Amino acid sequence: MTPRRGEPALNEGEIFELKALVPGWNMLEVDGIKRLERKFEFKDFKGALAFTIKIGESAEAQDHHPSLLTEWGAVTVTWWTHTVKGLHRNDFIMAARTDALYNN
């Protein structure tokens, strides 16, 4: 469900409904663009790096790519859609997929 250019970002009501489905994720706004962000914790850098690779493979398969910060013991994942300059339904789908990768 990759958004097409010109498709609008989600409105506040849609964001509120979808946010309930990914409770571990925080809403933030950077440069006027709404984003979903979550920090995942690991016991070491090796675990964080392996998780980063899993997210990258999933993102590439869906042609939808997050911002990833990998550090010792943690990976911060941020989803938003560049083409709509905000959040799209696919960002919430990818957040749920990211949670599933973490829980497996």
Side-chain angles (χ1 to χ4, degrees):
M1 175 180 241
T2 302
R4 294 182 300 267
R5 197 167 295 282
E7 190 173 329
L10 296 173
N11 65 42
E12 294 296 325
E14 293 166 325
I15 290 171
F16 181 78
E17 286 180 24
L18 292 170
K19 174 65 177 79
L21 301 175
V22 289
W25 292 78
N26 298 309
M27 295 289 305
L28 66 135
E29 193 167 315
V30 177
D31 298 328
I33 298 173
K34 288 181 174 61
R35 303 163 193 238
L36 286 172
E37 185 171 275
R38 182 170 177 191
K39 187 173 187 175
F40 296 88
E41 296 187 3
F42 297 87
K43 64 180 181 173
D44 55 23
F45 185 77
K46 184 177 180 180
L49 184 58
F51 183 61
T52 299
I53 292 168
K54 286 182 185 179
I55 295 168
E57 290 170 348
S58 176
E60 188 63 19
Q62 298 299 315
D63 194 29
H64 190 57
H65 307 93
S67 174
L68 298 167
L69 172 61
T70 304
E71 43 193 341
W72 191 95
V75 177
T76 302
V77 182
T78 310
W79 290 104
W80 78 99
T81 300
H82 300 276
T83 57
V84 302
K85 294 182 173 65
L87 290 169
H88 182 271
R89 184 172 304 279
N90 198 35
D91 297 307
F92 289 89
I93 291 168
M94 294 305 291
R97 285 182 179 167
T98 304
D99 286 342
L101 289 171
Y102 183 68
N103 292 321
N104 286 333

